[in-house]
Amino acid sequence: SLEVLELENALMAHLTRHSPLANLTPGLVLNTENAPITHTTAPDGTQFPVRLITHLPGKLLAHTKPHSPALLHSLGHTLGQLDAALTNFDHPAAHRELKWDLNRASFIANYLEFIPDAAQRELVQGFLNQFVQHTQSRLAHLRHSIIHNDANDYNILTANQQISGIFDFGDALHTATISELAIAAAYASLHKPDPLAAIVHLVRGYHAAHPLSEEEVSLLFSLSAMRLCVSVTMSAY
């Protein structure tokens, strides 16, 4: 929607002006009227908003091997800097309902039937029960802010075992801040011989840039697991 496009643009502009990540996030290229969005009309009469953003050099984190401790620390630190910079940023379109909001992850209860394998379905059900019984009610008491909300390894760029870029703010929203780290941890732990050790490097990097509370740390594992549960459930659906 146009509102979400405006949210993305405002967020990127804010980071360009107010954070050490100015060179790590895309910039907006204004049109000849100094506006970030142009409206164009298709042959059938449909109108579309169009924008142009700058290109970020680098290699996708998904294509970077290995994920060294230094790289994982850099990822956590970059996301911590990002969230610290967004602490004083707000936008009406960020206050929206989105299935990828971990605050609302219990919605997958209505979709578990689409997971065909009984053992896998039971595994997801177990994490869902843990989330509903012990995690969800505690989220409201945590700090909330606008976050990127999708720091998966196809939205992150690297160079020389450091994070060199982050893009795709299409899922950005106002939610529990710790969800940023939980989502990144869910993807960073995949295909690792020791997933928890990988997450530790990520957490240390984030904490150095945007200190975590003990309550946030205590809920991190449950939230990270729920991100994977949402992902596999919606993929099955």
Side-chain angles (χ1 to χ4, degrees):
S1 66
L2 181 60
E3 292 79 11
V4 174
L5 202 61
E6 290 172 341
L7 162 63
E8 291 183 56
N9 288 354
L11 194 157
M12 288 188 288
H14 177 86
L15 291 175
T16 300
R17 292 193 303 266
H18 301 291
S19 87
L21 305 181
N23 296 325
L24 273 65
T25 51
L28 294 166
V29 180
L30 303 182
N31 64 17
T32 54
E33 298 173 351
N34 286 323
I37 295 176
T38 297
H39 292 274
T40 187
T41 305
D44 66 359
T46 306
Q47 276 211 326
F48 292 97
V50 179
R51 69 172 173 189
L52 185 64
I53 60 176
T54 57
H55 173 264
L56 293 175
K59 184 178 183 180
L60 286 174
L61 180 60
H63 298 160
T64 303
K65 299 291 185 271
H67 289 178
S68 67
L71 179 60
L72 293 169
H73 187 280
S74 177
L75 174 58
H77 196 262
T78 299
L79 293 174
Q81 289 180 307
L82 178 75
D83 290 343
L86 292 177
T87 299
N88 61 348
F89 173 77
D90 200 9
H91 193 282
H95 299 264
R96 54 176 171 152
E97 289 190 14
L98 198 65
K99 279 189 164 61
W100 297 101
D101 180 0
L102 281 178
N103 277 14
R104 307 172 186 272
S106 58
F107 84 90
I108 65 170
N110 298 323
Y111 294 82
L112 295 186
E113 64 184 281
F114 294 101
I115 300 176
D117 184 272
Q120 293 177 345
R121 190 166 57 250
E122 185 179 350
L123 184 64
V124 172
Q125 182 71 65
F127 280 112
L128 175 59
N129 293 344
Q130 171 76 15
F131 175 77
V132 171
Q133 295 167 17
H134 302 290
T135 302
Q136 193 166 30
S137 63
R138 295 159 65 184
L139 294 177
H141 306 293
L142 301 181
R143 58 180 169 172
H144 281 55
S145 62
I146 295 177
I147 63 172
H148 178 282
N149 199 47
D150 194 18
N152 72 67
D153 46 2
Y154 284 91
N155 288 337
I156 307 290
L157 295 167
T158 71
N160 302 316
Q161 286 293 301
Q162 295 289 308
I163 301 306
S164 64
I166 180 167
F167 58 96
D168 188 0
F169 292 89
D171 284 348
L173 83 162
H174 188 272
T175 189
T177 309
I178 187 60
S179 294
E180 188 86 278
L181 184 58
I183 291 164
Y187 294 102
S189 63
L190 292 176
H191 313 301
K192 300 292 192 300
D194 189 342
L196 292 182
I199 292 173
V200 166
H201 297 300
L202 196 71
V203 172
R204 283 176 175 159
Y206 188 97
H207 183 68
H210 199 39
L212 298 159
S213 69
E214 288 189 15
E215 181 75 345
E216 287 174 324
V217 174
S218 71
L219 299 181
L220 182 60
F221 181 79
S222 174
L223 288 169
S224 188
M226 278 308 296
R227 172 63 178 213
L228 294 175
C229 289
V230 171
S231 184
V232 298
T233 301
M234 295 312 293
S235 294
Y237 171 68

